[in-house]
Amino acid sequence: MRVATSHTHRVMTETSSKQLCAEYRGANLRVEFDSKPSAALYINNLQRHTEVAESRPHTFSLSSPVQTDYEWHEYIDAVVRISEDAATVKISTGGKELASAEFEL
């Protein structure tokens, strides 16, 4: 597994599903995925967008708005690319990468 960013993030791989976590302007962001393949975007522990595919390889594009200030919303985007033996995950907003990691499956 290779992690690349300078932002606050956490990578978890204890179970069959894997996670990439980040914080952005007070919002806790988490992308969970597995080799089935499926992927989900969580914002402040609320599941906001989920997708399931029938086979690998597959690319998931997840997004959801997040309130970052009083009456101010931004979109959080997550891209999960799952191949036969690896996955790449990126979390971003407005073209700015917040966290990214590569995982072995």
Side-chain angles (χ1 to χ4, degrees):
M1 169 184 41
R2 184 172 58 99
V3 176
T5 64
S6 60
H7 303 283
T8 303
H9 63 275
R10 183 173 80 234
V11 175
M12 300 179 72
T13 60
E14 290 86 28
T15 64
S16 62
S17 68
K18 299 182 184 328
Q19 300 179 356
L20 177 62
C21 301
E23 182 185 50
Y24 179 66
R25 299 185 70 175
N28 293 312
L29 313 174
R30 182 174 82 242
V31 175
E32 289 186 5
F33 66 96
D34 57 37
S35 60
K36 292 179 183 177
S38 65
L41 172 63
Y42 293 81
I43 299 177
N44 294 327
N45 290 320
L46 296 174
Q47 188 172 337
R48 302 293 287 272
H49 189 164
T50 301
E51 291 185 12
V52 177
E54 292 184 17
S55 63
R56 292 185 278 173
H58 192 81
T59 299
F60 297 99
S61 295
L62 311 171
S63 68
S64 180
V66 62
Q67 186 170 353
T68 56
D69 202 355
Y70 182 73
E71 293 189 12
W72 184 261
H73 292 78
E74 296 181 61
Y75 270 88
I76 300 298
D77 299 302
V79 175
V80 180
R81 289 186 177 94
I82 298 178
S83 67
E84 292 302 320
D85 58 355
T88 302
V89 183
K90 293 182 183 179
I91 302 172
S92 61
T93 183
K96 177 183 175 184
E97 186 175 289
L98 302 175
S100 67
E102 293 179 8
F103 298 83
E104 291 181 11
L105 296 178

